[in-house]
């Protein structure tokens, strides 16, 4: 137990230290190897950490031996470890897949590309593990700045515009978070999350506290791409290099959601958060708006990656819907979908990346009849799509099932109807791709397309298999999600 | 007098609104980045104002002084300034690349070129 406490900070430190080294490495093989090895090591450490906190324990590591709350503390319970496992796991699977694709999309200076990737991941992991609110802001900016650079690596010139617009919106979001942190510090004189959680209830409720909560929620909603603050997301995911789209879709918005939950449930107590501001109603409206607008726009798209990006907006809606129920079951459903959606979107973006690589285009009109040329890739896409729609026995079904049960338990039957309608919309946009790829004839003048090499298909199928595995054996996902929800609520009363 | 004694906070609000307005309304990307800088700076002032203790001396330990101002916000803001500079640098670098790619740094003009690109 104590040894894992000492090792746990290395989940962040390994990629953070490997990043600058990676920037100095020449060629293509070495930077990729260093990145993959660091993420695989971080994955093993995350798995060990999750195993150590699975019984409800909390690990605490004080940096530089400065005792918290004065020093910076890494504080890990089931909620952090669950999210860290998702990030490192998806990255470890996607990196072997991404190597030839990065060779094609970013032919030069791969050292600095992989360095940015490592720093972005280190930032995301830092946000996840830290127990200090100012540290959250710093890591948020570290990961965001690296992400802007990574998105700008896309071959299309529109990637630059997408990166710039994301930079403006992302910085506003992070600065909002900083304003919220400033108010918290002014009110309590501490930045440590656990310390804030004990001091805030005894602090007299004031307008300043309300404003702090508001700024933090809105700032993180921007990073989370919660409708209607999602405008940066579709272009960023569409024009970024395929590896980055897949990684961001699986991890970045999830981390923002985790921090938001940490603030709402742990730093502020839920009894305050949901009564000081009409958070439950506001989150529910935005979640439903995202579910419908995202699914609707996904149905309208002619670009496969943009379609998946809008689908992400819709899926973020499901997670936030679970949060807005303000029950333990709803929070469990949110964590469950956070994990499962990471798996399914990684699989979908990974197979879309193979199409982009072999076919040179992700426009649906260029994909006619491609299913017969690349059967393994498109079958993986279709099966991951089944998980996205939520058909048993997939991970997507499990998370929808828990979300619907949480809504029923809360007596909100109308939400179940809305969830089913948006699931049908997902069926429409996934089926459209399958129809175009398999049933339409390949145009005679279309360039010949070859199936990707099996070494690339293995990681994609691994992700697809994970979607089915976690649809049948839910010990890790449901167990982890309910432990995470309980760790956040921590026995406090929900309003 | 109460209004004047909150002078810092009024400055914060005014600067924040100027920066925010500049970011939203201006099409020129350099002006957007300038707006972003002003917006961030206003938050720095908010933080630093909170560190002032009335009657407190500069936080350097010495004899005969009992009350010190709080140095922690300054240290935090030093970090935030570095973050702000990095953001500005990345923003400017992207602007240079956008100018090379499009021959313009005006959001509206570029939108006219990328007409089918709106979400």
């Amino acid at each position: 137990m104590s040894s894992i406490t000492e090792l746990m900070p290395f989940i962040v430190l390994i990629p953070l230290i490997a990043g600058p080294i990676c920037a100095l490495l020449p060629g293509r093989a070495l930077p990729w190897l260093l990145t993959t090895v660091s993420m695989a090591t971080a994955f093993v450490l995350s798995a060990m950490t999750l195993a150590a906190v699975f019984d409800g324990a909390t690990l605490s590591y004080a940096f530089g031996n400065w005792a918290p709350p004065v020093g910076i503390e890494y504080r890990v319970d089931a909620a952090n470890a669950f999210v860290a496992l998702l990030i490192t796991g998806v990255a470890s699977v996607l990196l072997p897949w991404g190597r030839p694709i990065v060779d094609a999309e970013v032919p030069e200076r791969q050292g600095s590309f992989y360095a940015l990737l490592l720093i972005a991941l280190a930032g995301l992991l830092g946000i996840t593990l830290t127990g200090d609110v100012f540290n959250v802001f710093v890591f948020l900016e570290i990961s965001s700045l690296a992400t802007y650079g990574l998105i700008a690596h896309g071959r299309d010139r529109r990637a630059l515009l997408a990166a710039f617009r994301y930079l403006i919106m992302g910085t506003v979001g992070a600065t909002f978070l900083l304003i919220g942190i400033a108010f918290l510090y002014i009110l309590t004189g501490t930045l440590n999350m656990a310390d804030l959680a004990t001091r805030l209830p005894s602090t007299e409720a004031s307008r300043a506290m309300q404003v702090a909560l508001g700024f933090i929620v809105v700032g993180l909603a921007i990073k989370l791409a919660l409708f209607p603050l999602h405008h940066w997301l579709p272009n960023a995911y569409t024009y970024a290099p395929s590896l980055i789209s897949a990684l961001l879709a699986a991890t970045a918005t999830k981390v923002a959601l985790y921090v938001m939950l940490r603030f709402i449930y742990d730093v502020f107590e839920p009894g305050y958060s949901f009564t000081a501001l009409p958070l439950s109603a506001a989150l529910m409206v935005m979640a439903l708006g995202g579910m419908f607008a995202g699914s609707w726009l996904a149905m309208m798209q002619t670009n496969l990656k943009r379609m998946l990006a809008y689908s992400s907006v819709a899926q973020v809606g499901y997670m936030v819907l679970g949060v807005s129920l303000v029950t333990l079951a709803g929070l469990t459903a949110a964590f469950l979908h956070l994990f499962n959606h990471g798996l399914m979107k990684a699989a979908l973006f990974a197979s879309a990346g193979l199409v982009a690589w072999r076919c040179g285009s992700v426009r649906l009109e260029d994909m006619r009849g491609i299913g017969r040329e690349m059967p393994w890739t498109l079958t993986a896409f279709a099966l991951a799509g089944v998980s996205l729609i939520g058909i048993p026995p997939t991970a997507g079904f499990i998370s929808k099932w828990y979300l619907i049960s949480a809504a029923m338990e809360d007596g909100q039957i109308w939400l179940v109807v809305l969830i089913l309608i948006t699931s049908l919309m997902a069926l429409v946009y996934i089926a459209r791709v399958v129809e175009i790829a398999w049933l339409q004839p390949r145009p005679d003048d279309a360039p010949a397309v070859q199936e990707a090499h099996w070494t690339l298909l293995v990681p994609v199928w691994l992700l697809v298999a994970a979607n089915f595995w976690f649809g049948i054996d839910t010990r890790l996902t449901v167990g982890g999600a309910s432990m995470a929800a309980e760790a956040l609520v921590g026995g406090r009363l929900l309003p | 007098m109460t209004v004047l004694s909150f002078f810092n906070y009024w400055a914060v609000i005014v600067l924040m609104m100027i920066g925010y307005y500049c970011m939203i309304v201006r099409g020129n990307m350099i002006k957007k980045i300038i707006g972003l800088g002003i917006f961030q700076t206003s938050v720095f002032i908010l933080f630093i104002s909170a560190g002032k203790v009335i009657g407190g001396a500069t936080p350097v330990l010495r004899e005969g002084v009992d009350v010190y101002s709080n140095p922690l916000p300054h240290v935090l803001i030093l970090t935030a300034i570095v973050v702000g500079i990095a953001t500005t640098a990345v923003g400017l670098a992207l602007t240079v690349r956008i100018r090379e790619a499009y021959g313009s740094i005006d959001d509206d003009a570029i939108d006219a070129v990328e007409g089918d690109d709106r979400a």
Side-chain angles (χ1 to χ4, degrees):
Chain A
M1 194 71 152
S2 64
S3 66
I4 188 64
T5 309
E6 307 290 313
L7 286 173
M8 171 263 288
F10 282 95
I11 298 171
V12 181
L13 291 178
I14 289 172
L16 198 61
I17 294 167
I21 298 172
C22 198
L24 302 173
L25 291 178
R28 292 177 168 188
L30 282 177
W32 172 81
L33 191 67
L34 179 63
T35 311
T36 311
V37 170
S38 343
M39 286 326 292
T41 319
F43 174 59
V44 173
L45 289 177
S46 303
M48 286 163 66
T49 310
L50 183 62
V53 297
F54 213 74
D55 56 356
T58 303
L59 303 181
S60 166
Y61 181 87
F63 265 88
N65 229 358
W66 291 93
V70 174
I72 290 173
E73 179 194 19
Y74 274 14
R75 199 178 170 83
V76 178
D77 53 28
N80 316 38
F82 192 56
V83 179
L85 185 77
L86 172 71
I87 301 170
T88 51
V90 169
S92 307
V93 176
L94 282 178
L95 277 164
W97 163 82
R99 191 179 167 206
I101 294 177
V102 172
D103 281 346
E105 290 182 340
V106 189
E108 285 165 348
R109 296 209 293 173
Q110 285 191 1
S112 53
F113 176 81
Y114 281 113
L116 282 176
L117 183 57
L118 277 171
I119 292 170
L121 287 167
L124 292 176
L125 289 165
I127 302 170
T128 312
L129 297 187
T130 189
D132 182 284
V133 286
F134 194 78
N135 220 228
V136 167
F137 165 74
V138 174
F139 274 123
L140 188 69
E141 284 292 52
I142 288 176
S143 77
S144 303
L145 285 168
T147 307
Y148 308 143
L150 287 169
I151 292 170
H153 272 84
R155 278 189 301 180
D156 197 303
R157 64 177 180 175
R158 281 171 288 190
L160 297 168
L161 273 185
F164 186 85
R165 286 178 185 156
Y166 183 20
L167 181 136
I168 298 287
M169 288 216 40
T171 310
V172 170
T175 312
F176 272 24
L177 177 68
L178 186 63
I179 298 172
I181 292 170
F183 278 115
L184 286 184
Y185 179 70
I186 292 169
L187 282 168
T188 62
T190 181
L191 292 165
N192 184 287
M193 284 181 186
D195 201 27
L196 275 168
T198 52
R199 286 199 201 186
L200 275 175
S202 57
T203 311
E204 194 187 343
S206 61
R207 179 60 58 83
M209 206 146 120
Q210 225 176 349
V211 170
L213 178 64
F215 268 113
I216 289 171
V217 169
V218 175
L220 289 171
I222 294 178
K223 302 300 288 188
L224 173 62
L226 183 57
F227 176 85
L229 302 167
H230 66 279
H231 267 284
W232 58 269
L233 184 139
N235 280 333
Y237 284 14
T238 309
Y239 300 117
S242 297
L243 175 63
I244 305 307
S245 307
L247 267 179
L248 282 185
T251 58
T253 49
K254 314 294 177 297
V255 171
L257 178 68
Y258 154 75
V259 192
M260 190 195 256
L261 295 180
R262 174 68 74 185
F263 272 104
I264 293 178
Y265 280 94
D266 195 11
V267 174
F268 294 92
E269 50 178 355
Y272 178 80
S273 306
F274 289 100
T275 48
L277 294 176
L279 265 192
S280 174
L283 289 178
M284 191 177 284
V285 168
M286 291 194 281
L288 291 173
M291 279 157 59
F292 274 93
S295 302
W296 178 256
L297 287 165
M299 283 159 62
M300 301 291 122
Q301 297 308 316
T302 55
N303 180 316
L304 182 63
K305 278 173 88 176
R306 187 186 290 271
M307 182 197 97
L308 293 177
Y310 275 113
S311 151
S312 274
V313 175
Q315 302 291 319
V316 164
Y318 291 120
M319 297 170 217
V320 176
L321 186 67
V323 179
S324 72
L325 293 173
V326 207
T327 58
L328 200 59
L331 193 57
T332 306
F335 265 108
L336 190 59
H337 196 49
L338 182 154
F339 192 89
N340 288 341
H341 178 246
L343 291 179
M344 54 182 109
K345 262 299 144 57
L348 285 168
F349 266 106
S351 37
L354 288 181
V355 172
W357 180 48
R358 303 308 301 190
C359 184
S361 163
V362 279
R363 298 190 70 80
L364 290 180
E365 63 197 39
D366 298 330
M367 284 176 60
R368 275 174 294 182
I370 206 174
R372 281 183 289 277
E373 323 257 338
M374 302 176 69
W376 289 99
T377 308
L378 269 296
T379 309
F381 183 90
L383 290 178
V386 165
S387 182
L388 184 80
I389 300 160
I391 299 171
T394 57
F397 169 72
I398 301 293
S399 41
K400 290 242 169 83
W401 176 257
Y402 273 81
L403 186 59
I404 288 175
S405 318
M408 300 270 272
E409 192 181 290
D410 208 33
Q412 315 228 39
I413 308 295
W414 61 286
L415 285 179
V416 177
V417 178
L418 296 181
I419 292 168
L420 291 177
I421 293 174
T422 49
S423 298
L424 286 177
M425 290 163 90
L427 176 66
V428 171
Y429 60 74
I430 293 292
R432 197 164 63 114
V433 177
V434 172
E435 193 263 337
I436 287 172
W438 292 95
L439 299 181
Q440 292 194 11
R442 188 96 181 120
D444 293 334
D445 56 341
V449 177
Q450 268 192 326
E451 177 61 285
H453 195 250
W454 67 270
T455 46
L456 296 178
L457 287 167
V458 166
V460 177
W461 276 90
L462 210 59
L463 287 166
V464 173
N467 271 300
F468 281 83
W469 176 269
F470 291 123
I472 297 164
D473 178 2
T474 57
R475 274 172 302 178
L476 173 68
T477 48
V478 174
S482 56
M483 283 312 298
E486 274 168 35
L488 277 193
V489 176
R492 277 170 287 206
L493 282 177
L494 293 173
Chain B
M1 276 313 283
T2 40
V3 173
L4 274 181
S5 65
F6 287 113
F7 173 75
N8 299 24
Y9 299 102
W10 289 110
V12 168
I13 293 169
V14 170
L15 282 176
M16 197 180 279
M17 289 306 119
I18 291 173
Y20 208 54
Y21 179 84
C22 193
M23 233 181 322
I24 293 169
V25 173
R26 295 292 162 186
N28 186 317
M29 291 180 177
I30 301 285
K31 288 185 183 167
K32 275 186 194 287
I33 293 173
I34 293 172
L36 200 64
I38 297 172
F39 180 61
Q40 287 183 312
T41 310
S42 72
V43 184
F44 302 164
I45 299 174
L46 173 69
F47 245 107
I48 289 178
S49 306
K52 173 68 183 162
V53 174
I54 292 171
T58 47
V60 180
L61 199 60
R62 57 185 182 274
E63 281 188 18
V65 182
D66 293 328
V67 184
Y68 296 102
S69 285
N70 185 353
L72 188 65
H74 297 73
V75 183
L76 296 178
I77 287 316
L78 213 54
T79 314
I81 288 172
V82 175
V83 169
I85 287 174
T87 311
T88 312
V90 174
L92 289 174
L94 284 174
T95 313
V96 171
R97 292 279 307 279
I98 288 171
R99 167 117 165 76
E100 284 169 5
Y102 288 93
S104 166
I105 53 166
D106 192 89
D107 227 13
D108 303 327
I110 294 173
D111 264 349
V113 182
E114 303 285 2
D116 63 332
D117 191 45
R118 286 333 299 253

